[in-house]
Amino acid sequence: MEFDEEVFLTLYGDKLKKYMKDQISQKMVKNNVFEFDIGEFLKNYSDSCDINDQIIENPKLVEDPLLYVFKESYIDLFGEDEHVKKELEKTQIAFKNPLGCDKKIDEITSSEMNRLVKFEGNIIKAAKVCALLKKACFVCRACGEISYKTIHDYFEQPRSYCKNQNCRSEMSIDYDSSAYVNIQELEIQQPIDLMRNPDDPPRSIRVFLENSDGIYSGRVDVVGTVMKKLTRPNMPVFEIYAKSNHVKLGESFQKIEVKDIINNYDLINTLDELGKKENIIDILSNYLIPQIKGYDLVKKAIFLQQVKACTKFLPDGSELRKDSHILLITDPGIGKSTMLRKISRLFPQNSYASVTTATGGGLTANVVREATEIGDGWVVKPGVFVRANEGTACIDELTVDKNVMKYILEAMESQTIHVNKGGINVKLPARCAVLAACNPKRGRFDRNMGVVEQIGIPAPLLSRFDLIFPLKDSPDRRRDAEIAEHILDTHVETATKNYSKVLGSIKIDGITVDENLIKNYIIYARTCAYFDENHHLYAGEVDERKIKSPPLSKGAKKLIRDYYVDMRKLGEGNNPVPVTARQLEAAIRISEMHAKARLSREVEEKDAKIAIDIIEECLRQVAYDPETGKFDIDKGMGEIPKSKVDKMDKIVDIIRELSVLSSNGLADECDIVEKASEFQISEKDVSDMLSKLKKSADVFSPKYGYYRLT
């Protein structure tokens, strides 16, 4: 439709003026930007719905009459003087909440040129914030005439001619008197959940964000005008980009979904009924990854990981970690990659990466130099952990590249990624659970070695995992027959499209449970939406500090405390330390997850018992020292267990004693072995201890077969 400014002001001027006066009096102008909320305006003036179409069709042309009305409204309220007049020239209009122009990024084509669109996507690249000449002050050098012009096209040199009939000279820009705004270049990628085929490469669009305070990661809602940029000077081919002055971080998927759930009373009744069923967690956790047969405890832990623990804040506002980190160490063929890929596709904020093809920066965040239209070329590229904020980062083949592990440590420890390079200093949120997997060093488990010894993960990183599950492929005729039958049924069902026995939905007391329902159940439990008093909190902007969640009951608290104290007591004296405070916190988190997964209003003793059982099973697999018959947390965290430390100390004493008695001050290895046998230390252990002592520089060997203390 053809735009006529005079007609526009005649039709909408009075209503716009009344609306703007109300907004100005509520101090809705920030940093010289007035956000014109189209949706809110139409709520108050429903008979002016055509203004929405006018703005969508002609966003650049509508700005000037809106600015004119804004200036009049402001002057009516506060009067006019030279200072006010000068400040009003700096004012910008930002469009917010337009109706009927929602697009997916792959739908933004040349047909949308010069139109207003609204879309959402993930930030995959963000440059530094720079200054943009937004309202140029033109001065005529011949007659002194002054005029202001809003800059809409970044890639054309602004020009203006004197309006004085007797002059008509080309005017010059007075840069000191012109108005500037912040601008930031972003690249926004279409989210996988909005793609027709998730396996297709995602589309992205460049966005120039005006009035930006600096945004570097997250899923965002963008309102902007589709523009064009000439790519080659001698060819009429243009790149499509979006000029925006309103971008806001989108709500997380779970908060959007929970709003739909609490407005669907039939669905709420169904979910509440499921929560009352006996063993509902076991049933749903098995159904969560139907392609894999067995490993029920691992599936339960992963299911609880998706539910997450309770959201809790310290008095200073910092949040306690609610995510559980899980490591799977598996023989080949177990299906670890299948598990990780399934979880990565469960929710949009879950992400998958394999260390075989990823870099440390690709997992966390990169600051790299690339060609940009504005700034000095330094851009931030958020990695997997940042994209998985509020979700789960699924990291496959964790031990393939040791250099990557140092990047992962900070992400797991503080759940933030600090970036400081190229003049960019930002902190990116990475509040996600980690589900990682790897194979043993030699491909398969060596039964003569401890589990943790076979993976080569540094102790500081290994200690960040709440649960470590070794999954061994041991031949068993009955179990192998069940797995073979399960795999064959899976292939038959996918070939015939008759999903029934393995991949189909299941019935629980008349309730049909499919993948969509299990997602809703997890979100319902995770957000504590089963508390009626939380429903009104999800109606608007969600304040997580006010969300009610299940507290620890006295019985659960006592059970966890007694378990921790009793286990610690086993480490008194010269005994190995069985657990640390990290296992205590893990028990609390898993107890809360289990209570929420049952839709319980309180963490009960049975929740605490399940949590303790899961942690004990992991300790039994990775921290049990067969030499002492006790748990040793150092062994489970990749450190040398106390039984071996004692042997090393004894070998040091033997070397010291033999060195004093020998004429050359050296201890013969044969004598060391003979002396060590008196203390029940085998020849193999002596060889291992000597290797470790040499590596730690406690002893050295000046010639083959002889040792001396350093």
Side-chain angles (χ1 to χ4, degrees):
M1 65 180 74
E2 189 173 340
F3 181 77
D4 187 311
E5 184 174 323
E6 190 174 331
V7 173
F8 180 86
L9 289 173
T10 302
L11 288 173
Y12 312 114
D14 292 339
K15 295 169 185 175
L16 286 169
K17 196 170 188 178
K18 187 177 179 182
Y19 171 77
M20 288 184 179
K21 280 184 177 181
D22 181 57
Q23 295 296 299
I24 293 168
S25 62
Q26 295 179 38
K27 298 183 178 179
M28 298 303 289
V29 183
K30 298 176 182 176
N31 300 323
N32 292 322
V33 178
F34 174 71
E35 290 186 345
F36 181 56
D37 192 326
I38 302 168
E40 187 178 337
F41 175 79
L42 293 179
K43 282 182 183 178
N44 296 314
Y45 303 98
S46 56
D47 57 336
S48 300
C49 56
D50 288 346
I51 195 173
N52 182 70
D53 297 333
Q54 292 267 20
I55 293 172
I56 290 172
E57 294 291 335
N58 308 285
K60 291 190 289 186
L61 299 177
V62 168
E63 274 192 42
D64 286 337
L66 286 177
L67 276 171
Y68 172 78
V69 175
F70 177 84
K71 290 175 186 177
E72 280 199 337
S73 305
Y74 195 92
I75 291 169
D76 286 351
L77 288 172
F78 303 107
E80 182 181 16
D81 56 30
E82 282 302 316
H83 175 73
V84 169
K85 189 175 180 181
K86 193 172 182 180
E87 286 300 309
L88 285 175
E89 288 299 335
K90 299 178 182 178
T91 304
Q92 310 298 322
I93 298 291
F95 296 117
K96 183 179 176 183
N97 294 329
L99 307 179
C101 62
D102 295 70
K103 297 284 180 183
K104 295 177 183 176
I105 290 176
D106 60 6
E107 295 172 345
I108 300 175
T109 61
S110 56
S111 61
E112 305 297 331
M113 203 72 71
N114 297 317
R115 286 169 54 91
L116 196 71
V117 294
K118 181 181 178 183
F119 59 91
E120 62 177 308
N122 297 312
I123 296 174
I124 61 169
K125 187 164 70 174
K128 284 199 291 191
V129 176
C130 298
L132 168 71
L133 174 65
K134 183 61 180 175
K135 184 159 284 191
C137 175
F138 285 94
V139 179
C140 180
R141 302 299 181 189
C143 68
E145 180 77 14
I146 296 176
S147 67
Y148 290 88
K149 182 179 180 181
T150 302
I151 307 301
H152 292 292
D153 195 327
Y154 307 137
F155 303 105
E156 291 183 5
Q157 183 65 27
R159 306 180 76 175
S160 185
Y161 292 88
C162 184
K163 295 179 181 179
N164 190 329
Q165 295 291 337
N166 300 320
C167 184
R168 296 294 185 181
S169 301
E170 184 172 356
M171 305 175 82
S172 303
I173 299 177
D174 181 354
Y175 286 99
D176 291 336
S177 300
S178 298
Y180 299 83
V181 296
N182 287 348
I183 186 169
Q184 185 182 20
E185 184 177 342
L186 305 172
E187 188 167 347
I188 311 291
Q189 187 179 77
Q190 184 162 322
I192 291 177
D193 56 294
L194 296 182
M195 293 174 60
R196 295 183 184 90
N197 183 359
D199 294 325
D200 288 342
R203 276 275 309 276
S204 63
I205 187 170
R206 191 178 303 193
V207 174
F208 292 93
L209 174 60
E210 297 179 8
N211 309 304
S212 173
D213 293 325
I215 182 171
Y216 295 93
S217 67
R219 184 161 173 157
V220 291
D221 297 319
V222 182
V223 176
T225 305
V226 180
M227 306 283 283
K228 65 182 185 297
K229 171 186 174 289
L230 191 66
T231 56
R232 292 186 180 181
N234 300 320
M235 187 180 292
V237 177
F238 298 87
E239 177 189 348
I240 294 173
Y241 70 92
K243 176 177 79 77
S244 173
N245 48 23
H246 182 77
V247 168
K248 72 167 186 175
L249 281 171
E251 287 188 299
S252 68
F253 173 80
Q254 66 187 32
K255 290 175 183 174
I256 295 171
E257 288 295 300
V258 77
K259 289 178 181 179
D260 294 335
I261 291 172
I262 60 178
N263 290 322
N264 187 334
Y265 298 110
D266 291 337
L267 179 57
I268 286 177
N269 290 333
T270 301
L271 297 175
D272 287 338
E273 279 299 312
L274 280 177
K276 296 174 185 175
K277 306 299 180 188
E278 194 70 27
N279 300 325
I280 185 62
I281 296 174
D282 295 326
I283 296 169
L284 294 181
S285 58
N286 267 311
Y287 181 71
L288 184 64
I289 312 174
Q291 304 97 309
I292 304 298
K293 178 73 174 176
Y295 306 109
D296 295 349
L297 189 65
V298 177
K299 289 181 180 179
K300 179 187 279 190
I302 293 173
F303 177 81
L304 295 177
Q305 181 190 48
Q306 297 308 297
V307 172
K308 298 183 183 288
C310 298
T311 303
K312 300 185 288 287
F313 293 88
L314 295 173
D316 63 359
S318 55
E319 185 180 1
L320 294 178
R321 176 158 71 92
K322 61 184 176 184
D323 297 294
S324 175
H325 302 318
I326 298 174
L327 175 64
L328 309 179
I329 311 166
T330 75
D331 277 330
I334 294 292
K336 63 177 175 61
S337 296
T338 301
M339 293 184 190
L340 267 61
R341 289 186 182 277
K342 174 68 176 179
I343 297 303
S344 70
R345 293 177 178 176
L346 190 63
F347 297 116
Q349 65 266 42
N350 291 4
S351 294
Y352 173 89
S354 174
V355 175
T356 53
T357 56
T359 62
L363 291 176
T364 53
N366 258 329
V367 177
V368 296
R369 201 155 207 166
E370 289 191 357
T372 57
E373 297 296 339
I374 59 175
D376 56 6
W378 288 106
V379 297
V380 176
K381 289 188 169 183
V384 171
F385 280 87
V386 179
R387 293 200 300 272
N389 186 45
E390 299 288 349
T392 302
C394 302
I395 311 299
D396 206 355
E397 307 296 351
L398 178 63
T399 54
V400 167
D401 186 353
K402 290 186 178 180
N403 293 324
V404 165
M405 297 183 193
K406 61 185 178 184
Y407 291 89
I408 297 174
L409 180 60
E410 182 196 5
M412 293 181 65
E413 185 176 30
S414 63
Q415 295 198 300
T416 56
I417 307 295
H418 288 84
V419 173
N420 191 353
K421 185 179 178 183
I424 297 175
N425 187 1
V426 293
K427 186 169 73 171
L428 306 177
R431 294 184 300 165
C432 61
V434 176
L435 177 60
C438 65
N439 294 121
K441 287 179 185 177
R442 299 174 182 174
R444 285 189 172 274
F445 279 109
D446 184 341
R447 297 178 184 179
N448 298 316
M449 296 174 65
V451 170
V452 177
E453 295 175 68
Q454 303 184 54
I455 54 175
I457 296 177
L461 177 60
L462 197 62
S463 66
R464 296 301 182 274
F465 287 100
D466 299 279
L467 301 172
I468 301 173
F469 291 103
L471 306 181
K472 300 177 181 179
D473 181 20
S474 302
D476 179 282
R477 185 176 180 82
R478 182 185 61 79
R479 176 173 164 73
D480 290 344
E482 291 176 354
I483 292 174
E485 184 72 18
H486 188 84
I487 293 173
L488 288 166
D489 286 341
T490 301
H491 280 270
V492 170
E493 289 184 19
T494 52
T496 61
K497 306 295 187 292
N498 180 22
Y499 306 119
S500 53
K501 186 177 178 182
V502 177
L503 302 176
S505 58
I506 58 173
K507 288 275 189 181
I508 304 177
D509 294 342
I511 299 174
T512 302
V513 176
D514 56 15
E515 188 168 312
N516 190 51
L517 188 63
I518 199 171
K519 288 179 182 179
N520 284 328
Y521 188 90
I522 290 172
I523 292 170
Y524 191 59
R526 181 191 291 183
T527 57
C528 293
Y530 58 90
F531 282 81
D532 292 339
E533 49 266 56
N534 286 338
H535 286 193
H536 76 280
L537 296 173
Y538 288 109
E541 292 291 328
V542 181
D543 185 352
E544 292 189 331
R545 291 172 178 80
K546 296 180 180 178
I547 293 175
K548 191 172 180 61
S549 55
L552 285 167
S553 66
K554 289 183 179 179
K557 183 179 175 182
K558 182 179 184 302
L559 192 63
I560 295 172
R561 183 189 61 222
D562 290 349
Y563 169 74
Y564 176 70
V565 171
D566 290 344
M567 289 292 284
R568 293 286 293 179
K569 191 173 182 180
L570 296 175
E572 292 178 354
N574 199 34
N575 292 312
V577 176
V579 293
T580 67
R582 282 192 172 140
Q583 282 69 48
L584 172 64
E585 291 190 341
I588 295 169
R589 280 192 290 269
I590 297 169
S591 300
E592 292 174 346
M593 293 171 188
H594 196 270
K596 288 171 68 176
R598 293 190 301 108
L599 308 185
S600 173
R601 296 181 66 89
E602 190 176 46
V603 181
E604 300 173 4
E605 287 184 48
K606 59 183 174 183
D607 302 307
K609 187 177 185 309
I610 292 290
I612 290 169
D613 289 345
I614 293 174
I615 289 171
E616 277 214 325
E617 179 59 30
C618 289
L619 290 174
R620 194 173 294 112
Q621 296 278 354
V622 300
Y624 180 74
D625 189 348
E627 291 192 27
T628 61
K630 298 173 182 177
F631 289 137
D632 187 340
I633 196 63
D634 289 335
K635 178 181 172 68
M637 293 300 107
E639 303 283 4
I640 301 173
K642 189 177 184 307
S643 59
K644 288 191 176 181
V645 171
D646 291 342
K647 288 181 180 179
M648 289 171 68
D649 290 342
K650 182 56 68 177
I651 297 296
V652 168
D653 291 341
I654 291 171
I655 293 173
R656 182 182 291 111
E657 181 183 338
L658 293 175
S659 298
V660 171
L661 296 175
S662 69
S663 58
N664 58 4
L666 300 176
D668 189 324
E669 186 172 346
C670 295
D671 295 336
I672 296 171
V673 171
E674 183 180 347
K675 189 74 174 174
S677 64
E678 298 175 12
F679 301 96
Q680 288 75 49
I681 302 175
S682 67
E683 184 176 350
K684 181 180 181 303
D685 282 345
V686 171
S687 179
D688 290 343
M689 297 304 109
L690 288 173
S691 296
K692 285 183 169 63
L693 288 168
K694 281 199 296 183
K695 193 173 181 179
S696 63
D698 289 306
V699 303
F700 74 101
S701 176
K703 67 177 182 177
Y704 182 76
Y706 290 86
Y707 294 88
R708 174 190 291 169
L709 298 181
T710 54

